[in-house]
């Protein structure tokens, strides 16, 4: 069964550094998402992406965040200058042919900012 | 704004018994989807079951079923014949059918299975 994959599984970085989190969505999916979950808190929506552009973003997704689908298979989340409060689990999800399709999640990347 | 509430931070159940996890939501929309996701210790988010609001019939997936009460805005998950592998955090999530793409999440319920 096809699945969403994410790399790395754990990323440790120094405050102020840039990080890129990578995701490979399910191959025929068209809708892509990033969520984050700070330890012990609710899952929060960051951004959705369709047709090579952002379709929706939350207040969390400020100028330090960006997303890209560089090569038709990968979907990346870049955090330009990490802060301590960016430490969280970051989940990528992809959805099928329609916006109403179920979102399938990757295993997550645990980001630790020191 | 839409919100999702899971009032049970933790539930425990004896193996092979049945447990029900509660979820309520607040919305003014009429068309939406509801989901239950499971997050085991590996922290991967796994879809358990999905319900379309326009469907009156409750969704079922093997040992998992929901009790969807649209008027009451309630969406509980029943797990029958609980197994040790069901131990996980369970999250209820809501999604508007049109315009919005995001899932809105509850705080989660930790399910403990007693052998």
């Amino acid at each position: 069964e096809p699945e969403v994959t994410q790399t790395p599984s754990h990323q440790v970085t120094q405050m102020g550094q840039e990080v890129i989190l990578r995701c490979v969505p399910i191959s025929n999916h068209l809708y892509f998402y990033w969520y984050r979950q700070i330890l012990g808190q609710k899952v929060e929506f960051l951004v959705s992406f369709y047709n090579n552009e952002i379709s929706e973003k939350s207040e969390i997704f400020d100028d330090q965040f960006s997303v890209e689908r560089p090569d038709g298979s990968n979907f990346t989340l870049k955090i330009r200058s990490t802060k301590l409060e960016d430490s969280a689990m970051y989940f990528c999800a992809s959805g099928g042919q329609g916006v109403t399709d179920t979102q399938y999640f990757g295993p997550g990347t645990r980001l630790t900012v020191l | 704004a839409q919100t999702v509430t899971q009032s049970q931070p933790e539930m425990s159940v004896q193996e092979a018994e049945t447990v029900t996890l509660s979820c309520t939501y607040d919305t003014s929309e009429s068309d939406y989807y509801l989901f239950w996701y499971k997050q085991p210790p590996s922290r991967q988010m796994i879809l358990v079951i999905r319900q379309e609001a326009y469907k009156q019939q409750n969704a079922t997936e093997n040992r998992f079923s929901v009790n969807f009460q649209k008027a009451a805005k309630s969406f509980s998950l029943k797990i029958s014949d609980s197994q040790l592998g069901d131990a996980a955090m369970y999250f209820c999530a809501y999604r508007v059918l049109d315009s919005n793409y995001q899932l809105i999440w509850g705080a989660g319920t930790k399910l403990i299975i007693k052998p």
Side-chain angles (χ1 to χ4, degrees):
Chain A
E1 187 175 319
E3 57 183 23
V4 178
T5 59
Q6 289 184 244
T7 54
S9 57
H10 191 190
Q11 173 93 45
V12 180
T13 189
Q14 294 292 325
M15 191 169 58
Q17 295 296 304
E18 174 183 287
V19 294
I20 297 176
L21 309 183
R22 291 184 166 78
C23 169
V24 179
I26 295 172
S27 63
N28 62 345
H29 283 186
L30 301 177
Y31 295 84
F32 313 110
Y33 311 84
W34 283 101
Y35 292 84
R36 79 171 185 191
Q37 185 183 32
I38 295 171
L39 188 64
Q41 296 187 22
K42 285 190 181 187
V43 178
E44 301 171 292
F45 169 77
L46 292 177
V47 66
S48 59
F49 192 86
Y50 170 72
N51 200 25
N52 284 320
E53 60 183 22
I54 290 173
S55 42
E56 188 180 19
K57 61 182 180 179
S58 71
E59 292 176 354
I60 303 166
F61 195 87
D62 60 22
D63 291 343
Q64 68 159 342
F65 291 93
S66 61
V67 289
E68 202 175 38
R69 190 158 158 77
D71 56 13
S73 62
N74 290 286
F75 179 52
T76 62
L77 174 69
K78 182 192 289 186
I79 309 175
R80 227 180 313 279
S81 176
T82 50
K83 302 176 217 169
L84 294 175
E85 55 265 35
D86 293 328
S87 294
M89 196 76 170
Y90 288 80
F91 292 101
C92 172
S94 72
Q97 302 295 312
V99 69
T100 58
D101 280 2
T102 297
Q103 295 175 25
Y104 293 91
F105 284 75
T109 292
R110 183 188 300 276
L111 176 65
T112 302
V113 182
L114 303 176
Chain B
Q2 297 97 354
T3 58
V4 177
T5 302
Q6 292 179 250
S7 57
Q8 305 153 317
E10 186 175 296
M11 291 282 285
S12 62
V13 64
Q14 206 70 39
E15 193 177 1
E17 294 190 347
T18 295
V19 64
T20 299
L21 309 183
S22 302
C23 172
T24 59
Y25 56 94
D26 187 22
T27 184
S28 57
E29 303 290 335
S30 58
D31 289 327
Y32 48 87
Y33 288 160
L34 294 162
F35 303 85
W36 279 98
Y37 282 89
K38 167 185 175 181
Q39 188 181 41
S42 66
R43 300 206 69 186
Q44 174 141 18
M45 204 67 79
I46 302 165
L47 176 70
V48 175
I49 201 163
R50 154 180 156 157
Q51 174 82 42
E52 291 88 344
Y54 64 85
K55 288 187 178 177
Q56 291 188 338
Q57 188 171 7
N58 288 325
T60 63
E61 283 289 338
N62 301 314
R63 297 183 295 108
F64 298 88
S65 61
V66 298
N67 183 4
F68 174 47
Q69 303 287 329
K70 190 172 183 180
K73 296 178 183 173
S74 170
F75 181 60
S76 60
L77 175 70
K78 185 169 89 171
I79 306 173
S80 304
D81 185 25
S82 300
Q83 300 175 0
L84 294 176
D86 295 333
M89 285 291 288
Y90 284 81
F91 292 94
C92 177
Y94 162 99
R95 183 180 179 190
V96 174
L97 203 62
D98 294 320
S99 72
N100 287 343
Y101 297 80
Q102 61 174 294
L103 287 168
I104 297 167
W105 298 79
T109 296
K110 182 178 180 180
L111 179 63
I112 298 168
I113 311 292
K114 299 180 201 172

